[in-house]
Each structure stands twice: as structure tokens, then as C-alpha cells.
Amino acid sequence: MNTQRVPVVVRTSAGDARSTFSRGLTRRSGSARRAASIAFVVGASTLLAACGAASTPAPASDGELSGVVTVWSWDKPTTELQVAAAAFEEEHPGVTVSVENVGNPAIWDKMTAGMAAGGQGLPDVMNVGIDYIAGYVENFPDGLANLSELGADEHAGKFPEGVWNSAARDGQVYGVPFEVNSAGFFYRTDLLDEAGADIEDVETWDDLVEVGVAVKEATGKALLGIDKSATQADAANLFQQLLQQQGQFYFDESGDITLSTPEAVRAMTIIKDLNDAGVVADVSQAWDPWMQSISNGDVAVVASAAWVAGVLQSDLTDMSGQWGLRLPPAVEEGGLTAAITGATYLSVAESSENKQAAWEFVEFALTQEESQLAMYEEGGLFPGLTSVWQTPDFVTPSEYFGGQSPNEVFVDQLGQDLPTTNFTSDYAQALKAVTDAQTQVLLSGADPQAALEAAEKQLASQTGRSIAGG
Amino acid sequence: MTTVAPPRGRVSAAPAAPLREHRGPRTTAKVLTLTAVMAIGAAVVVAPLYWMVIASTHTSAEIFSSPPVLLPGDAFWENLRSLVVDRGFGRAVANSFLIAAVYTVVAGFVCTLAGYAFAKFEFRGKGIAFGLIMATLVIPAQVTLVPLFQIMLWFGWLDTYQAILLPNLAFPFGIFLMRQTMLAVPDELLAAGRIDGCGEVRLLFGIVLPTMRPAVAALAIYLFLAQWNDFVWPLIALRSPDSYTVPVALAALKGIGTTDYGQLLAGTTVSIVPAAIVFLLLQRHFVAGILSGAVKE
Amino acid sequence: MSTATLSVRRRTIVTKNTAPYVFLAPVLILFVAFKLYPYVYSFWLSLTRSVGGRQEFAGAENYVRLLQDPLFFKALGNTALVLLIQVPIMLALAVALAVGFNSTLLRWRGTLRLAFFLPIVMGLVAYGILFSTLLNTQYGLVNWVLGGVGIEPVPWLGDPMWARVSIILALTWHYTGYNAVIYLAQLQTVPRELYEAASTDGAGPWRRFVHITLPGLRPAILLTVVLSTIGTLQLFDEPYVLTNGGPDNATLTIGMYLYQNGFRYFDFGYASTIAYALALLVALISFAQFRLLGRRS
């Protein structure tokens, strides 16, 4: 099934459906009759699209779905899912999709309690982070529904392999990727010009340290921000990205811990070098301070994920023309310049009484280009559905980035042979151990090797996993 | 609780009027010094709350500007409107108020009964029963969340008010407070009541309780505040946004993306107003209630 | 036994002998329904390990692991630090406040009392929102005020040492007034004649404080020490909303570590083990405090 890419013919008809799709959305408040007729058109188009892909069980063909589908999510994804919910309801008049903004991190406590109580008391559909999903699957067998049984496998090829596999166990999949954190590298063209640095000459992270020093001398600004005190769980995102750029992760493919490999020490040393050069600002990974550091112009570079492109364009309109983007530098010359460092998923509760409708909503929202584009337009989250990355509406040159097309840059990542990342069910503990190690290195000047070895030992005793090669 | 007690002559619960001392220049200086020191302390304590109220009248962008906002802005009504209209915050306030009010009355009743039994009766199993109740103080609540959730599933009570109300009705500190207070009730009073043909129930509600209004007021404050501010359990037990309480609704305002701090702080301000009013109304009784209760040896 | 009681006994089931059981019944029913199962269930969980999502009996395995867990001892150390530094500071401040409030020299008594008590009405969520905004290194009010007197920005939540200071400040802000009210109530039971007699004997303010006020406060001090100890050992709210236990576990408390293991890592067996170890600790320390402080001098 992995090879099943959507045929060209289907993409054309999907394109037709897309325009109808968005019209249907804007007119939703119009007369009922008109809404109904639009719903018919949307339904027909999707049917057409579904027929194009021979083996697809047509979701709209039964047309008998009914009842309520409750979805739990948080701020931005909620608004995106509401777009999909409205369109889904048009297509299935018998179904009401109720998307609830539970808040984050509140959502995790709420879901975990239901999982631990035997998978009861959960909504039909849940938005689950990559740091939770494998843990849920591993620890609570009655929690998430096996989506392979509902026909999810046919969509496998539409998503980055590592992200898809991170929600799978024993070949069965429990979540469909919603948004992904695909590495992105944004820089302030004006500040770099002032420092006389040419970003195109930067091939490796070591080169970047020199640029950072030049920027600091010329402008007094920091090169980039890191959440040194790890106020947030994902404070070590950059470390993880550097590790992934070397084809490695916290765990190897058999699940053994690989936190003190030469590659890991190298990744932490790069971060230490940046910090020792005095070019790292201490910026909390929490949203508001993080945004402030960018809008205030405190940093010359944002080494984060692709979705930053959308945020810059929508939230910091007055900085238009000041930004450029590229893929991150490699760790070693010629190495990978791409990584997928995180993702969220939509999953269905095993206990859902409306499993079929819940699954069809997930399928509707996440596996179709037209849904994903409409959602992207609303919320700007970077979709996991890779074919969207190549559609004309997604890849538009932007004045904001001086005529560069942000998404075209990221599409290049697809061409790189990214190794599959084994996030495992203990990713949350690994994150904690790693962010603590990073804090020790950045705030107390600890030795990267020693800090990582200690983290590795602690992780091993916490999880009962063995240390690779140890 | 106050509905149970028949109206009696007002028990003055205000602290005894301070004795007047000789007025003189030295005394005046002392008055000024002490009052000034206490006022400065009070200003430090109130400053965060003052800033919260001020911040709730500004937009998110203004709140994070430098220098910080120190004077009222004009965004309060807009913040409140978006809270109520877009986020259904009015419903959460109504839910919280209803739950906290019902809880205060019912839990007050339960704690009073238990406190009275422990204070004024000798019976088999007294030590064990008291020990059990005090044991609930030492076991951290986080660990009981999942089994409690299971119980509510069995009863089919998820997303109901009783799921929030029932588990904490037997409030250990409340029972302790009432027991300590009732220890002071003279046994002779009870004996006299019994001789007069007074039943045990009437003895408690007709004779004992009316003498204890301050303790009841103190209990009411504790209970109301505890329920009004309870967060983790309602977060887990309530499912639909229509049944959210104020803290749960506030938590939903925080996401991992942009947070509207004007809205959030307006919600925070609104969230402490009812609790502050309840405290204001009962605080005179409260001081005297503690006096007659918890600190007796 | 008087005839009156006998006639009562014929009419009602609530007699002097059955009354305590009837009065305690609600509490006991609630305990069995909502507490017993969670306690027994979580204790059983502490004796199990999760294998592929199923709980298997593991004996004392979790307890052995606990004794070798450096993070548990780190959490224990952090908690002890708060207990040894914050609790005495807070209680000393509260005594000072109560003495101030009890003085005949104080003016604006009601307003000041309300100001000092107001923080207690604030719940976990509201409190976290407010303080994380105030303590923001770059845009927070606190650093702005400090900047006004020439102090460099303090990384309140971003440095291991300062994060501990922040937790201690926040706790003190929240609970000092609450303890002061308890002391104040106790102080009002100390007869003023004692002070007057001491003054006549030539005792200065300090000697009066040491020889009259402090002994008079003893029961209230015992109560607040025990309550603060229980609250501190179970400390969860402040690190949960302000520091998430960081940086580098500097503010990881036992309550926080328990929560992380259960709700972050889904190891409810180990979380229960931590809970029971904590409960044992709380019980032992509270018992010791009662024995030490409760003794009459």
C-alpha cells in the first residue's frame, strides 16, 4: 500500500472538488437549500475522487453515517478541525461533529485519565502528540482504536514514513499524522547583511557559529534563541534535530537507548559551542515569549520548523521583506539538511460508539488535499499529507520572503532519504532526560559527554531499556 | 448551613473592641508607624492582584509592552465580551457558582454531623473512624484520580454535577474544625436538653448549632473556596464545554499557540470576584469562628 | 435514664446511643464509596508492573526502585528545602502580622486584614496565569520594578536557584495571611490583663512577646505547623503551574514527580508507590510534630 500515491487523474478531480469545498464553507451560513445543493456537489466530487483510487472504499457511498462525533483538541488545531467538521457535516447531514478546545496541556491529563481507566470516558476522536501516542498505544491497549482495521493502511504512503510508523505497533496503526514539524531555517536578511555574512556560504553548523559571532559584533543581536532552562517539554528540539540530521535519535531501531553516541555528543557540543560563543539568547519555548523574541528582533535566526513560515506571515506582517529561509545547515559537510522532529495525530477511541463515523471524519480531514488546504488556510499548521506540499496553492512565492516560496524549500526535504525515527513509548522520558542534560550544559557548563551519559543511565533505569552497545 | 439554624439574637463575632489607651504624642507616633508598616506590607501583597485587574482592561499586546501597564485601559468590556460570547465563560461561572453553593450547604451539613458525633459521643469504633478520616489528609489526591474516574464510569456519572460534588463532601479539615468547636459545648447543656425531652436531631440543630454561627461561617468559607478553585478533578470528570467550571474553562483558554492574555486575565479577574465576595461577607464570622474552633487544645 | 428519653426512644430511631452512628453515616458511606476503592486500588497498583498494558504482580519491586531513584531523593531534598526555609519564614511573618493586627494601635484594621487574606481566594489556575506573567524575565512587572531601582533582570523561573526562590515567594504570598488569621484568633483568647500586669512589672515589649504571646500561640502554632507540613510535603500546585518542576529538576517536588510518572509516563504503579511513600512520610512527620509541639511545657 505504501506505493499507492494518488494518481494524477484523481488529483485533477480533487482540485475541482477543492474549489467547491471552499465555496461550500463560505456559504455555510446561507440558505439551507443552497447549502444542501453545495453539499451534494462536494459529496459527488469526493465520490469521484474516491472512485479514481481503485481500492479505496468510498467513504461517501454508504451515506448512512449518523450520530455525534466528539473531537478533543486545543487552540489552533481546533480552528482547523472546525473547518473540516463543517465540510464533513455538509457531506454527511446525519452526523454532527463537535470539535472541543480542551486547552493544552490540560488535554493530556484528561485523555490519560480516560486511557488509564480502561479506555473509557474518551471522546470519539483525539488530537494526540507524538510524545504521547506511542506511550498510549503501548500502555493502554484498550485506549486507541486500531485504524488499520478501519482501512488506514492505504494512506500510509501519503505521509512521511517515520511519522507514520511512530503511531504504529506490530504493523497496526493507531493515528493518522495531522501536522508535522519539518525542519525549517529562517534568517533576518537585514541583520545578516549588516554583519556582512552570506548565508548561502554556510554549509555546516560550525560555519554558523562564525556567522553568529559576526552578527553579534555588528548588530549586538543574538544568533538564535534556546530555552536554556527548559521551561517547556520541547526545549531540546534543536538538539534533537541535530541528532536526526546525523541519522540518529534517542533510540535505535530496536528501542535501545542511544543518548551518548558520538553523534549525540557532537550535537550537544554544537549547542555548547554556540552558547560559549555568546550568540545564544535564553528564550522560553513557550509561545508568547518565543514570539516576542522574534518580533522584537532579538534573534537573527529561527531554527525551528516549517510552520514558522505561516506564523511569520500571518502574525508579524510588519516584518515583511526582512526574512529569508532555507534548509538548516548540515552537521558535517554533505550531510542531511532535513529532519522531521515532531508531529501530532488524530486517533479514534477504541471505546467510541461511533467508530466508523469517527474514522471517516479523520480520513476526510487528513488524507485529502482539498481538506488539508482549506484547513491550512485557516490555521497555517504544516500538514503531514506530503502531496499537499507540492500543490500549486501551497507552493506560492511570497513577497514576505523576498519572492522565495517557503513551501518549495521544504518540499526539497522530501527528496532526502530520511531515516525512520523510532520515537518509542518512552519518548516523553527521553525528552525529559535530554532537556535536563541540555540545561546542565547551558546553565552550569557541564561537559556534554558526561551530561548525556548521566541522562542515558537515568533513562535506562526509568524505562528498563538497555543502552545500545553497552 | 445557616438555613438550618433558627434565627437567634445576633452573635457579635467581631473581635473585641480594642481598649483605648492614653493618647499622647508617643502613642500617635506608634500608631502611625505600625499602620504604615502594615499598609506597606498590604500594598506588596495586593500589588499582583492590582496588576491583574489592570491587565484585564488591556489587550494582549499592551500587556506585553514595555514599560508594563499600570493604569486602567479600555479593553475590559471587549475582553469580557469575547470571553462570554466566544468562549461561553458565563456558563462556566454559573456552573461553578451552582456547584460551589450546593457543595457548601451539603458538605457543611455532612461535616457538622460528623464533627458533632466525634465531639460529643462515646461509641465503639470512634478511634478508627476518626483515623480513617484523617488518613484522607495524608494520601495525595493525584493518585486517586484514575480510580475515582473509574467509579464515575461505573455509576455513569461522568460529566455530571454529582461527580464533582460527592467525592469531596466529607472534607477532613471541615470535620476536624467542627469537632474542635463542638468540644467546647458543655455536656450539661446537652443533658438539660435531653431531660426537657429534646430529640437528638433537635438537640444538634436547635440548641448546639445556633451557638456556633462563627464556626459555621468559617466552614462555609473553606468549603466554598475549596470547591470554587478545584481544578484537576473537574478537568478530568467534566467532558462537555457546557458543564465546565471556571478553572477548567480558564485552562482551556491556554493553548500552545497564541494566547489572548487580555481575555485570560479578564477571566482570571472574574474568577476571583465571587470567592472574594463570599470571603468579604463571612470574614468577620471567620476570624471568630477559628477562635472558637480549630485552635482549642 | 429519664422517662422523657424513653418516650423519645419509642418515637424515633435517633437515640443517644444510635445518634453517633446516624450522624457519622453520611461520612462513612461517602468514604466507602469514593475513597476506599481508590486507596486500595492504588495500593495494589504500587505492587504491580505494567507488561504490555496489563498489570502484573511485582511485589516490592517498585519500592526497591524508589529507594534507588536519584530523582526521588532530589524531589525529597527540594521539598525538605521548602519545609525548612519557607515554612518558618511564612509562620514568623504570620505571627508578626497577627501581633500587628492584635495591637490596639492599628488603624484601618478591616481593610488591611482583607488585603492580607485576599491571596487565599485565588485558585491554582488563576494563580499560575498571574504569576508566570508577573515573573516573566523580559516583560514581567517584577523585573520592571527592580529595573527601576537599578537591579538587573532576574531570571525568576529560568535559573535553578531563582526558580526555588520564586516558588518560596509565591507560597509565602499565598498562605501568610491565612496563617495570620489563625494566629490572630488565638491571640484574642490571651487575656489583656496578662500584658497589663507584665507592663506594670516592667517587662518590655520583647519580654511580653516571648513570655506571654508565644506561649499563648502554642496551640495555633502546632495546628499551622502540621497543616503547612502536610501541604508542603504534598506540594504540587506551584511547581505545576510555575516551573513544571524545572529547571533541571530544581523545583521537582514529590507531588510533581508522582504526577509526572503517572500522567506523563503512564507508570501508575510507580506513581502509586511514590504516593504511599509520601503518605507514610506525612503521617510520621505529623505524628512527630504532635508529640514534640503538643507536649505541655
Side-chain angles (χ1 to χ4, degrees):
Chain A
M1 297 307 282
N2 281 4
T3 54
Q4 194 200 347
R5 301 301 285 262
V6 184
V8 178
V9 186
V10 178
R11 197 178 298 154
T12 317
S13 65
D16 294 338
R18 183 175 64 241
S19 53
T20 324
F21 179 88
S22 39
R23 229 183 318 138
L25 293 175
T26 50
R27 301 250 178 107
R28 194 163 179 256
S29 53
S31 78
R33 199 175 54 200
R34 176 173 289 180
S37 72
I38 289 166
F40 174 74
V41 176
V42 173
S45 314
T46 313
L47 191 61
L48 200 63
C51 291
S55 65
T56 312
S61 62
D62 53 26
E64 301 301 323
L65 295 178
S66 63
V68 178
V69 172
T70 308
V71 184
W72 280 357
S73 182
W74 58 90
D75 54 5
K76 269 267 166 60
T78 305
T79 58
E80 284 204 0
L81 289 168
Q82 273 159 351
V83 171
F88 188 75
E89 286 173 352
E90 300 272 337
E91 191 171 306
H92 300 282
V95 181
T96 308
V97 180
S98 164
V99 183
E100 291 167 6
N101 173 6
V102 180
N104 189 328
I107 189 170
W108 310 118
D109 294 348
K110 228 167 139 74
M111 289 199 305
T112 303
M115 296 278 167
Q120 301 297 306
L122 295 166
D124 302 292
V125 176
M126 287 162 278
N127 194 356
V128 188
I130 200 165
D131 47 341
Y132 280 86
I133 195 157
Y136 281 159
V137 173
E138 173 84 23
N139 289 292
F140 309 117
D142 305 321
L144 301 180
N146 181 343
L147 300 182
S148 293
E149 287 173 1
L150 294 165
D153 290 351
E154 67 172 278
H155 301 296
K158 300 179 185 176
F159 299 91
E161 196 186 351
V163 176
W164 182 267
N165 288 339
S166 297
R169 179 179 153 87
D170 302 334
Q172 307 292 300
V173 69
Y174 294 85
V176 177
F178 179 176
E179 42 160 332
V180 297
N181 288 345
S182 167
F185 187 90
F186 301 82
Y187 52 89
R188 286 276 302 273
T189 46
D190 51 342
L191 293 179
L192 290 176
D193 285 349
E194 210 179 320
D198 187 351
I199 197 74
E200 295 309 319
D201 290 347
V202 173
E203 282 185 43
T204 64
W205 282 90
D206 292 334
D207 297 343
L208 192 67
V209 177
E210 290 166 30
V211 171
V213 174
V215 167
K216 185 90 190 179
E217 278 171 7
T219 68
K221 308 282 189 186
L223 178 70
L224 45 76
I226 293 180
D227 191 345
K228 294 185 188 176
S229 53
T231 60
Q232 306 293 311
D234 55 353
N237 262 356
L238 181 58
F239 169 76
Q240 184 181 315
Q241 179 191 319
L242 293 172
L243 193 50
Q244 286 180 267
Q245 281 188 261
Q246 301 173 78
Q248 294 246 349
F249 191 60
Y250 307 148
F251 305 97
D252 63 16
E253 60 275 15
S254 56
D256 291 346
I257 301 166
T258 51
L259 274 191
S260 67
T261 58
E263 289 83 359
V265 175
R266 174 95 173 89
M268 192 62 90
T269 306
I270 290 174
I271 287 178
K272 184 174 162 56
D273 290 346
L274 283 166
N275 193 51
D276 290 350
V279 300
V280 177
D282 189 0
V283 175
S284 167
Q285 192 84 5
W287 187 269
D288 298 277
W290 182 81
M291 280 295 286
Q292 284 289 338
S293 75
I294 298 170
S295 64
N296 278 11
D298 296 343
V299 289
V301 159
V302 177
S304 180
W307 50 258
V308 171
V311 172
L312 289 176
Q313 291 181 84
S314 65
D315 290 16
L316 301 176
T317 45
D318 56 334
M319 293 182 96
S320 178
Q322 294 178 354
W323 288 97
L325 76 156
R326 51 166 285 176
L327 291 177
V331 171
E332 306 295 346
E333 261 176 68
L336 291 171
T337 58
I340 290 179
T341 54
T344 69
Y345 299 81
L346 287 188
S347 295
V348 173
E350 175 66 20
S351 60
S352 166
E353 287 169 5
N354 210 354
K355 222 189 257 177
Q356 188 63 29
W359 159 244
E360 290 196 19
F361 171 69
V362 172
E363 195 176 34
F364 176 91
L366 301 185
T367 67
Q368 307 185 93
E369 286 171 18
E370 64 268 37
S371 309
Q372 277 292 298
L373 277 168
M375 288 161 72
Y376 179 72
E377 216 165 279
E378 176 71 28
L381 300 170
F382 201 80
L385 188 64
T386 52
S387 61
V388 174
W389 304 357
Q390 295 160 356
T391 56
D393 281 10
F394 196 71
V395 188
T396 44
S398 163
E399 279 311 304
Y400 195 98
F401 294 104
Q404 275 182 295
S405 169
N407 295 327
E408 194 158 24
V409 173
F410 303 129
V411 169
D412 285 353
Q413 307 204 52
L414 281 177
Q416 301 190 27
D417 187 20
L418 297 184
T420 299
T421 304
N422 184 10
F423 281 88
T424 80
S425 57
D426 293 323
Y427 180 55
Q429 276 123 305
L431 266 188
K432 178 82 170 82
V434 164
T435 52
D436 286 350
Q438 178 179 294
T439 302
Q440 289 155 14
V441 168
L442 293 184
L443 291 187
S444 327
D447 171 55
Q449 172 108 32
L452 285 169
E453 276 171 6
E456 182 168 70
K457 237 177 94 191
Q458 180 197 316
L459 187 60
S461 85
Q462 269 184 337
T463 62
R465 288 178 188 273
S466 32
I467 294 170
Chain B
M1 277 317 300
T2 39
T3 53
V4 186
R8 288 281 172 120
R10 281 191 87 75
V11 178
S12 172
L19 300 171
R20 287 282 159 198
E21 290 189 0
H22 297 295
R23 284 296 177 103
R26 272 193 70 193
T27 316
T28 313
K30 280 184 186 166
V31 166
L32 282 176
T33 313
L34 178 67
T35 308
V37 168
M38 296 286 277
I40 290 167
V44 171
V45 170
V46 172
L49 296 168
Y50 170 79
W51 184 82
M52 174 186 72
V53 174
I54 293 300
S56 72
T57 66
H58 288 271
T59 63
S60 216
E62 289 165 357
I63 292 170
F64 281 97
S65 62
S66 189
V69 290
L70 293 172
L71 293 171
D74 50 14
F76 181 74
W77 296 112
E78 172 50 30
N79 287 337
L80 196 63
R81 192 202 60 78
S82 68
L83 262 181
V84 172
V85 177
D86 306 339
R87 301 302 198 126
F89 202 70
R91 181 71 202 254
V93 172
N95 286 336
S96 269
F97 201 83
L98 182 72
I99 291 176
V102 171
Y103 176 79
T104 303
V105 172
V106 180
F109 183 71
V110 169
C111 292
T112 303
L113 287 181
Y116 181 56
F118 283 128
K120 287 289 137 193
F121 291 90
E122 289 306 324
F123 55 95
R124 287 182 63 180
K126 180 169 165 174
I128 292 172
F130 196 67
L132 278 180
I133 288 164
M134 290 304 123
T136 64
L137 272 178
V138 305
I139 298 185
Q142 296 94 328
V143 83
T144 66
L145 290 172
V146 169
L148 204 53
F149 187 83
Q150 282 177 329
I151 293 176
M152 294 307 161
L153 274 167
W154 292 332
F155 291 165
W157 282 356
L158 278 188
D159 208 24
T160 63
Y161 290 151
Q162 63 264 33
I164 305 301
L165 288 168
L166 288 174
N168 299 313
L169 276 183
F171 189 69
F173 183 71
I175 295 170
F176 183 71
L177 179 77
M178 294 315 274
R179 171 184 173 266
Q180 294 298 93
T181 312
M182 299 216 195
L183 283 176
V185 175
D187 287 333
E188 297 77 27
L189 182 68
L190 301 182
R194 289 191 180 106
I195 289 165
D196 288 347
C198 198
E200 293 297 326
V201 177
R202 250 193 73 206
L203 204 56
L204 170 59
F205 292 108
I207 295 177
V208 175
L209 212 53
T211 65
M212 307 184 24
R213 283 184 157 213
V216 170
L219 181 64
I221 289 184
Y222 275 119
L223 294 172
F224 189 90
L225 287 181
Q227 185 62 58
W228 180 266
N229 289 325
D230 196 14
F231 169 60
V232 180
W233 174 239
L235 169 75
I236 285 167
L238 296 176
R239 301 199 50 212
S240 58
D242 278 352
S243 57
Y244 280 2
T245 59
V246 168
V248 180
L250 276 179
L253 292 179
K254 272 200 83 121
I256 49 172
T258 317
T259 303
D260 184 341
Y261 273 83
Q263 199 187 47
L264 192 62
L265 286 160
T268 312
T269 302
V270 171
S271 81
I272 72 161
V273 167
I277 290 175
V278 167
F279 175 70
L280 250 169
L281 291 177
L282 297 174
Q283 69 146 343
R284 284 180 157 266
H285 296 295
F286 182 47
V287 175
I290 296 256
L291 164 72
S292 61
V295 295
K296 288 272 156 57
E297 271 184 277
Chain C
M1 194 147 298
S2 74
T3 48
T5 322
L6 286 172
S7 70
V8 166
R9 183 176 284 170
R10 276 194 298 277
R11 282 208 317 270
T12 168
I13 52 161
V14 188
T15 67
K16 188 166 185 278
N17 290 328
T18 62
Y21 299 106
V22 176
F23 291 158
L24 266 185
V27 166
L28 294 177
I29 291 168
L30 287 165
F31 181 86
V32 172
F34 299 109
K35 300 282 184 206
L36 195 60
Y37 171 72
Y39 291 167
V40 173
Y41 178 82
S42 52
F43 183 69
W44 175 76
L45 268 188
S46 78
L47 302 176
T48 66
R49 72 171 92 86
S50 171
V51 179
R54 304 271 170 251
Q55 299 305 131
E56 269 179 16
F57 185 74
E61 187 183 278
N62 285 324
Y63 290 87
V64 173
R65 177 181 158 195
L66 187 76
L67 293 176
Q68 299 162 349
D69 184 348
L71 273 182
F72 174 73
F73 286 100
K74 174 131 197 182
L76 203 60
N78 291 337
T79 309
L81 198 73
V82 175
L83 195 62
L84 294 177
I85 294 178
Q86 191 269 337
V87 171
I89 291 176
M90 172 182 72
L91 295 184
L93 277 175
V95 169
L97 265 185
V99 170
F101 276 125
N102 200 43
S103 164
T104 53
L105 299 170
L106 185 69
R107 300 293 173 262
W108 307 335
R109 192 178 307 267
T111 315
L112 288 174
R113 194 168 62 203
L114 180 66
F116 279 106
F117 198 87
L118 214 46
I120 199 70
V121 305
M122 213 164 193
L124 162 68
V125 176
Y127 180 64
I129 291 166
L130 178 59
F131 270 74
S132 50
T133 322
L134 284 172
L135 295 176
N136 183 304
T137 307
Q138 276 170 288
Y139 309 101
L141 182 69
V142 176
N143 274 352
W144 182 78
V145 171
L146 292 179
V149 292
I151 298 174
E152 289 289 301
V154 175
W156 289 107
L157 304 174
D159 172 89
M161 195 266 289
W162 286 112
R164 285 177 176 153
V165 172
S166 298
I167 296 279
I168 287 174
L169 286 178
L171 279 169
T172 308
W173 179 81
H174 207 178
Y175 293 107
T176 301
Y178 171 90
N179 289 296
V181 172
I182 296 180
Y183 291 151
L184 178 59
Q186 181 76 63
L187 273 186
Q188 290 174 343
T189 66
V190 179
R192 286 192 182 272
E193 297 75 42
L194 279 181
Y195 289 101
E196 281 157 18
S199 291
T200 318
D201 291 350
W206 179 249
R207 288 196 49 165
R208 277 176 293 179
F209 175 76
V210 171
H211 293 287
I212 303 172
T213 309
L214 275 187
L217 276 179
R218 174 188 272 274
I221 289 174
L222 171 64
L223 178 77
T224 53
V225 165
V226 172
L227 287 180
S228 303
T229 303
I230 293 176
T232 303
L233 287 169
Q234 296 185 353
L235 186 61
F236 173 72
D237 289 8
E238 280 75 12
Y240 177 71
V241 297
L242 288 180
T243 61
N244 202 18
D248 192 20
N249 300 315
T251 58
L252 184 75
T253 60
I254 307 174
M256 192 71 203
Y257 190 51
L258 182 175
Y259 167 85
Q260 281 179 355
N261 274 285
F263 282 82
R264 263 312 264 167
Y265 313 145
F266 321 127
D267 193 344
F268 284 95
Y270 194 52
S272 302
T273 307
I274 299 170
Y276 273 90
L278 176 56
L280 185 68
L281 203 64
V282 173
L284 284 178
I285 294 181
S286 308
F287 182 73
Q289 285 170 338
F290 265 111
R291 291 302 288 271
L292 283 174
L293 287 167
R295 237 180 11 218
R296 284 172 181 280
S297 47

